Amino acid sequence: PAAGLTLLEYEVRATPVANDGQSSDKKVVTSRFEHRYKGGFIEREVADLTPFTTYIFSVHARYPQVGTREWSGLGQESQPVALDQLQAFQDPPAPIAVADPDEREGGEDDAAGGGGAPPRRGAGATAPPGPKA
């Protein structure tokens, strides 16, 4: 940038192309942002890209409040980039066993005869009838 001018406005444009190299019927995706230049590399993500689509990317810059509103860098484009290799950034978590709440001992289903563990003696339950001695 020019001396004393560090605030720049960038436009990243992703233009979809058909397999035959012609323009596609999909929409052009544009992302704009301002950056205070400090030197070094700038990295940004472009949202709303369509998987399995080939794009040509271009980056344009201008000063947000100085000079003309024309974008610089017009006509400079990337080689076609295909977005066809989707990769998970993180594997899904491993499944874990969780106790079934209906199988707990002394549950409400037991009083209604809904199964589960048999009632315990001494906990307000009666013993099943047995042979008389």
Side-chain angles (χ1 to χ4, degrees), residues 44-113:
R44 290 289 175 163
E45 285 189 22
V46 178
D48 301 326
L49 296 179
T50 305
F52 307 107
T53 301
T54 300
Y55 288 94
I56 293 178
F57 291 91
S58 59
V59 178
H60 314 286
R62 66 183 177 191
Y63 294 110
Q65 299 174 353
V66 177
T68 67
R69 302 303 299 152
E70 300 293 322
W71 291 102
S72 69
L74 296 176
Q76 299 176 1
E77 298 176 336
S78 73
Q79 294 294 319
V81 177
L83 302 180
D84 57 1
Q85 296 178 349
L86 299 178
Q87 296 179 349
F89 288 104
Q90 179 179 353
D91 289 334
I96 57 172
V98 177
D100 186 354
D102 293 335
E103 292 182 8
R104 62 180 184 206
E105 191 171 332
E108 296 153 32
D109 288 342
D110 295 337

Side-chain angles (χ1 to χ4, degrees), residues 11-23:
E11 177 185 73
V12 179
R13 186 177 298 164
T15 305
V17 293
N19 291 335
D20 58 5
Q22 301 300 316
S23 63

